[in-house]
Amino acid sequence: MRRKQTHAWVYLIWGINGLALLCLSAGAAFYVASNQAAAADNGAEPPPSPTQLGAPTSYFLPTLTPNPFYTPPVFETSTPFLLLNGPAPNIIGYSLAGRPIEAYSFGVGEREYLIVAGIHGGYEWNTIELVDELITYIVAHPEAIPSDAKLYIIRNMNPDGEARAHGVDGRVNNNGVDLNRNFPSENWAADWNRDGCWVYLPTTGGLYGGSEPETRTVMSFITSRKITAMISYHSAALGVFPGGVPWTEDSKRLSKSLAKATGYPYPPVDTGCIYTGTLADWAVENGVGASVDMELRDHKNTDFAENLKALNVLLNFMP
């Protein structure tokens, strides 16, 4: 008799629970129907169900002030250089867009020399083509390197600019910085008087001297070595600029020798431009024996024959 009473209570409890669930479901259905009816009376569409909602079309984000000199990263491939039988380059750093900055090394002597090209990217793309020709020549003629010398060539310091365009749009790096104004020399400046200077597009010397990864890559490379003399190649037509403010005596002597070998003007053509934060100036302030900025005659040709003579002058120069 007790077992039958127990079963009856269980059935009663389950029945009450089921009735409660039924009531809740009916109430929810009535609520939804009421809302839809109210929306219809007001001429509005009923709200969509969660499964009908798409991705949001706008987001609330903080307003950022854009850098007026910023150039959005691009992903074109910079001009390839294939050296089939020569040494592989060392990757010494990376550009803002992650492109490698490479250095070739020739010779085993104690006197170290350096050539840097492509600091102004695609605007001076022929400087990159020139050093590619020099590298190819040296591989075929290893005797071009004196036995007591070692030569480093950084063939493209601004690969992002070179990939962006062969023209004025390729001059700066991806932050809109002129890399030859970004070295932390004593006269570095974020901005300068543009009289007589390159003024085709907006540019800057950077947030501070050495602010750009391309610049820091070359700085680190130079300070980790004892460079006897160096050439930083540019174009076009102004001549040979000694490093230093004022120009150092050894840099002037190297400039005169290079000008005699190449026919490039020395003293260089004075356009009235004041140069700040240059590689050549920073280099002599930081242990390089002599340095020059040397300009090719135009933006198209490499002046290979003249610069083969310049290579010989550089590798035999002693401060």
Side-chain angles (χ1 to χ4, degrees), residues 180-237:
N180 202 42
R181 297 275 190 170
N182 186 237
F183 283 84
S185 60
E186 294 178 2
N187 67 346
W188 174 85
D191 201 1
W192 53 89
N193 187 330
R194 305 301 168 118
D195 292 344
C197 297
W198 190 90
V199 293
Y200 294 111
L201 292 174
T203 185
T204 173
L207 294 176
Y208 53 88
S211 63
E212 306 308 298
E214 298 91 344
T215 307
R216 293 194 298 272
T217 291
V218 173
M219 290 170 58
S220 177
F221 186 87
I222 289 174
T223 55
S224 64
R225 291 160 177 82
K226 187 173 178 58
I227 304 297
T228 299
M230 62 163 284
I231 297 174
S232 174
Y233 271 109
H234 295 264
S235 60

Side-chain angles (χ1 to χ4, degrees), residues 238 241 267-273 275:
L238 295 179
F241 291 79
V269 177
D270 185 0
T271 65
C273 183
Y275 300 98

Side-chain angles (χ1 to χ4, degrees), residues 126-251:
N126 56 333
T127 66
I128 302 169
E129 186 170 299
L130 167 62
V131 298
D132 288 349
E133 292 177 349
L134 291 175
I135 290 169
T136 302
Y137 179 87
I138 293 168
V139 170
H141 301 86
E143 69 277 6
I145 308 296
S147 60
D148 59 348
K150 186 172 188 176
L151 173 65
Y152 303 105
I153 297 179
I154 299 175
R155 63 174 294 270
N156 188 356
M157 182 180 160
N158 184 5
D160 295 348
E162 194 271 328
R164 186 183 313 118
H166 280 195
V168 294
D169 291 329
R171 181 183 177 94
V172 297
N173 80 340
N174 273 8
N175 272 340
V177 174
D178 184 326
L179 295 178
N180 202 42
R181 297 275 190 170
N182 186 237
F183 283 84
S185 60
E186 294 178 2
N187 67 346
W188 174 85
D191 201 1
W192 53 89
N193 187 330
R194 305 301 168 118
D195 292 344
C197 297
W198 190 90
V199 293
Y200 294 111
L201 292 174
T203 185
T204 173
L207 294 176
Y208 53 88
S211 63
E212 306 308 298
E214 298 91 344
T215 307
R216 293 194 298 272
T217 291
V218 173
M219 290 170 58
S220 177
F221 186 87
I222 289 174
T223 55
S224 64
R225 291 160 177 82
K226 187 173 178 58
I227 304 297
T228 299
M230 62 163 284
I231 297 174
S232 174
Y233 271 109
H234 295 264
S235 60
L238 295 179
V240 188
F241 291 79
V245 183
W247 296 340
T248 68
E249 291 302 318
D250 285 331
S251 295

